Amino acid sequence: MNQTLFTLAWRETIRSAYWGKSLATNIGLGFLAVYFSVCFLILGFAIPEMLTKSFPNADPVSKFNGILLAYFAVDLIIRQLMQKLPTVSFKPLLLLNIRRPKIANYLMIRSVFNFFNVLPLFLLLPVTFSLVANAHSGLATTSWFLAVFILIFSNHFLAIYLKWRFNEAEYGFFILLAALAGLFAVNHYGIVDLSGALGKLLDLILVYPALTILLILLPVLFYFLNVRFLQSRMFLNVLSVKQKEEKIRDYSWLDKMGETGRFIALELKLIWRNKRPRSLAMMTVLMLSYGLLIYRAQPGQEIPGFAFVLGGIIMVGMFSISYGQFFPAWHSNYFSMLMCQRLTMKQFLRSFYMLVTVVSVICYLLTLPYAFLFPKIVYTHLAMLLYNLGVNIPIMFFVGMYSKKRLDLGQSTVMNYQGVSATQWLGALPLMLGPITLYYLFKLIFGDTGSYIALGAIGLTGILCNSIIIDFFAKQYRKQKHQLIKNYKNS
Amino acid sequence: MIQIQNLVKAYNKEIVLNIPELTIEKGEIFGLVGNNGAGKTTMFNIVLDLITASKGQVVSKGIVVRESEDWKDFTSAFIDETFLIGYLTAEEYFAFIAGLRRMSKAETSDFLATYADFFNGEITGKKKFIRDFSKGNQKKVGIVAALMGKPEIVVLDEPFANLDPSSQYKLRKMIKDFAAANGTTFLISDHTLENIADVSTRLIILEKGCVVRDVPKTENTLQEVEAFFKPVVEAHLF
């Protein structure tokens, strides 16, 4: 029976029109996977030496155990952002002779085959052999390895369970972040030594290997939470409609801005009434605090120039990059209707441009307080604002012409997991790496400040030419119209 | 009003639509029937320039639809529920379309008021997004939206499907009244022969992409069309 389900899932993947056409995406993902694997491997070999050097008097294994909790916490967040949930379109299966628990179990089993469960092994194996095995018996080492292995899978099942939950209540992710930050504070200020506790537990396992058996309870518990949750969701009424009254906000004031205003109102409704763009918008707000992370100078060290470029592009441009990389697929569900209407492509593109401009400028103003830390942020962020509007948006228009995949907005949020995975972040990379590369190029010629001026100048040129650019793309999009309709229909 | 010239649509050499010559006059309610895969939706999609023809062209009021977009000024359509914007309420959707079709707020509400009976109190005034509507109610929204802004050509693909019996009768009358009042050309397809025979002034049967019958409506149209689609086996039995 499970084999049937696997076959179904396989066919669902390879027969979607999206498959194969996204070669670049696959290569990109593959590259990232190899890159991180190598990093972890190198780190795995380097850790024993680093630990003995930094803490000459302590037991390195025990030190390693002590930092594992922090790793798992970070892992949990990364998984929330990157890991894909296993899905199956189970609606057609419900009436067949397949029991609900079977479907749930199948999904859980499939979820295990995930890169995020393999990645830590690249670090763990070298550490096990070069650090733990040196100081402990074979049995102790094995059970220690198993214990960490089990913890990785506990984290996996916990991450998936949370992700499923957050899918229904999107504020969950922010609560998780807050909770983890709280735990970090508790730990950091020594109120309760959490990481020490996990470290002690693992130390103990090295002495009493049999304790590992107890740890198995953890993944089993999370596994059953998942299965129970999935089973409770496999009903059509949960799947389809929420019958509660919707909160309808009025956007008619935008009508005063004419045709463009009407489209901006449509975009705003799209963002607030659909889960996926809404979580992107919330992410934008969250990203405003990225500066606290990146604009922190260690005493005696200077912040490298690229940090200002990256910080600027992320904080000012997060919304346009994350929202814009799916332009025009946000409108894919009713794209053919739009193509029958008396709207011109120009209005369509311009309304997007205006929306992004307004949001970016607001983001710029909101990030200005960082200038108290580093006054130069006033102009570095301005340069990135100009660059983002003048260069990145045309790039997104260009990429959008070849958009392949329809975005399913129509489905209710339950069981709709389209989108939040590593692929989504991949498209953003060139948009962020582009200005960093240019920054270093210009720095060679014009120096640091001159480089920002140059970046801003390019952007400003793009903005001044925006009506030419929009005209150009309007023509191109009209040519691409039939292809886009076909792609959206087939995906 | 609409001329179809040497139109061929083929996918990988398999011809799905082949209409050498067809002219639809102004004010005609042009009914299209045919079994699945006969090419009805394909034809409508080509008329609306949503897919490209392999050969030939469609000329709408003198405009080659493939070449200019000016036909959009006088054409509207409802093909399927992908023509709706799921995250809007019905009112918002009507307002959006009204804006595109240059109707004022007052015109829009007057216009919608005339369809209150068709809506049956289930469409407007609900705090509900279109995506949460039933199939039938979604269809009603789409059909009425396609009539907004006094279009000269209205394309409706299977408008009767998913509608409840009363609404089907109401829709028949609506289409006939609208055409009589505005001189609108309708292109309609459907599988219920009775509906399509009643509403249209000219009936075309498509089979495997070709026009096999083209009859103006008379009293016997329904019987004629029914006879065409009845399985041969049944005829032997009697």
Side-chain angles (χ1 to χ4, degrees), chain A residues 241 245-246 248 262 266 269-270 273-274 333-334 336-337 339 341-342 410 478 481-482 485, chain B residues 49-52 66 69 72-73 82-85 87-89 92 99-101 127 129 131-132:
Chain A
V241 233
E245 286 205 338
E246 307 278 355
I248 316 279
R262 202 156 31 239
L266 185 71
K269 286 173 196 160
L270 178 116
R273 295 179 182 177
N274 294 290
N333 281 309
Y334 45 87
S336 37
M337 183 274 283
M339 291 302 104
Q341 300 301 335
R342 193 162 21 181
R478 216 171 302 144
K481 165 176 122 173
H482 300 99
I485 292 173
Chain B
D49 192 34
L50 292 175
I51 57 179
T52 49
R66 185 72 195 85
E69 293 200 290
K72 290 181 178 175
D73 287 338
T82 63
F83 269 56
L84 301 170
I85 304 179
Y87 55 84
L88 298 184
T89 63
E92 286 172 338
L100 292 174
R101 308 219 145 253
K127 290 197 166 173
F129 296 140
R131 63 177 173 218
D132 296 332

Side-chain angles (χ1 to χ4, degrees), chain B residues 18 32 41 43 77 160 167 179 226:
Chain B
N18 183 5
L32 198 57
T41 308
M43 178 177 149
F160 294 99
S167 300
E226 270 180 348

Side-chain angles (χ1 to χ4, degrees), chain A residues 240-252 255 259 262-263 266-267 269-271 273-274 330-331 333-345 347 406 409-412 478-479 481-482 485-486 489, chain B residues 11 41 45 48-52 65-66 69-77 79-89 92-93 95-103 105 125-129 131-133 145 149:
Chain A
S240 53
V241 233
K242 347 182 251 282
Q243 287 297 352
K244 65 168 200 276
E245 286 205 338
E246 307 278 355
K247 271 181 246 126
I248 316 279
R249 208 171 280 134
D250 187 27
Y251 291 93
S252 51
D255 288 353
E259 305 263 292
R262 202 156 31 239
F263 270 94
L266 185 71
E267 302 258 6
K269 286 173 196 160
L270 178 116
I271 293 169
R273 295 179 182 177
N274 294 290
W330 294 114
H331 302 282
N333 281 309
Y334 45 87
F335 198 68
S336 37
M337 183 274 283
L338 289 182
M339 291 302 104
C340 284
Q341 300 301 335
R342 193 162 21 181
L343 75 123
T344 54
M345 260 301 167
Q347 290 162 345
R406 188 184 54 188
L409 296 171
Q411 283 177 28
S412 70
R478 216 171 302 144
K479 277 188 206 153
K481 165 176 122 173
H482 300 99
I485 292 173
K486 204 168 121 193
K489 208 174 167 191
Chain B
Y11 291 107
T41 308
N45 278 333
L48 296 168
D49 192 34
L50 292 175
I51 57 179
T52 49
V65 294
R66 185 72 195 85
E69 293 200 290
D70 292 341
W71 56 269
K72 290 181 178 175
D73 287 338
F74 52 85
T75 312
S76 74
I79 300 292
D80 53 27
E81 58 274 18
T82 63
F83 269 56
L84 301 170
I85 304 179
Y87 55 84
L88 298 184
T89 63
E92 286 172 338
Y93 181 71
F96 179 71
I97 300 290
L100 292 174
R101 308 219 145 253
R102 316 234 158 92
M103 285 168 79
K105 269 196 180 135
K126 293 270 183 266
K127 290 197 166 173
K128 207 169 156 189
F129 296 140
R131 63 177 173 218
D132 296 332
F133 277 12

Side-chain angles (χ1 to χ4, degrees), chain A residues 187-211:
Chain A
N187 195 49
H188 187 77
Y189 296 109
I191 302 168
V192 183
D193 188 13
L194 292 168
S195 55
L198 181 75
K200 289 221 178 65
L201 179 70
L202 289 169
D203 290 348
L204 214 58
I205 279 173
L206 283 166
V207 187
Y208 307 104
L211 282 175

Side-chain angles (χ1 to χ4, degrees), chain A residues 133-168:
Chain A
N134 282 344
H136 297 275
S137 71
L139 179 68
T141 309
T142 315
S143 56
W144 179 86
F145 177 79
L146 277 179
V148 180
F149 195 71
I150 289 169
L151 285 175
I152 291 171
F153 278 91
S154 317
N155 219 28
H156 165 80
F157 287 124
L158 175 64
I160 287 191
Y161 179 69
L162 290 177
K163 201 163 181 177
W164 255 310
R165 282 275 160 176
F166 297 165
N167 242 310
E168 288 179 22

Side-chain angles (χ1 to χ4, degrees), chain A residues 22-224:
Chain A
S22 58
L23 191 65
T25 314
N26 289 333
I27 292 175
L29 282 179
F31 172 77
L32 281 185
V34 171
Y35 173 77
F36 279 110
S37 306
V38 171
C39 283
F40 268 55
L41 203 62
I42 293 172
L43 199 62
F45 281 109
I47 276 180
E49 212 192 307
M50 279 157 63
L51 285 175
T52 29
K53 241 187 212 159
S54 316
F55 309 100
N57 302 322
D59 174 16
V61 180
S62 162
K63 274 284 163 204
F64 183 76
N65 289 341
I67 53 174
L68 269 179
L69 187 72
Y71 167 79
F72 283 125
V74 175
D75 185 49
L76 196 61
I77 296 174
I78 303 274
R79 279 174 193 266
Q80 291 304 318
L81 294 175
M82 301 279 213
Q83 190 167 1
K84 233 183 168 153
L85 282 172
T87 52
V88 66
S89 27
F90 61 84
K91 204 167 158 183
L93 302 177
L94 286 181
L95 284 183
L96 300 178
N97 189 10
I98 300 175
R99 308 287 148 126
R100 285 191 167 90
K102 190 135 233 166
I103 303 176
N105 280 316
Y106 155 77
L107 284 177
M108 292 322 296
I109 292 167
R110 214 181 76 187
S111 78
V112 170
F113 301 100
N114 195 292
F115 177 67
F116 286 95
N117 294 331
V118 183
L119 184 63
L121 294 182
F122 285 105
L123 193 147
L124 190 58
L125 283 172
V127 170
T128 310
F129 285 110
S130 62
L131 184 70
V132 187
N134 282 344
H136 297 275
S137 71
L139 179 68
T141 309
T142 315
S143 56
W144 179 86
F145 177 79
L146 277 179
V148 180
F149 195 71
I150 289 169
L151 285 175
I152 291 171
F153 278 91
S154 317
N155 219 28
H156 165 80
F157 287 124
L158 175 64
I160 287 191
Y161 179 69
L162 290 177
K163 201 163 181 177
W164 255 310
R165 282 275 160 176
F166 297 165
N167 242 310
E168 288 179 22
E170 56 221 69
Y171 304 98
F173 179 63
F174 299 94
I175 295 172
L176 174 75
L177 280 186
L180 287 178
L183 288 178
F184 174 79
V186 164
N187 195 49
H188 187 77
Y189 296 109
I191 302 168
V192 183
D193 188 13
L194 292 168
S195 55
L198 181 75
K200 289 221 178 65
L201 179 70
L202 289 169
D203 290 348
L204 214 58
I205 279 173
L206 283 166
V207 187
Y208 307 104
L211 282 175
T212 308
I213 295 166
L214 283 178
L215 273 183
I216 290 183
L217 286 175
L218 219 52
V220 171
L221 170 75
F222 292 139
Y223 184 95
F224 279 106

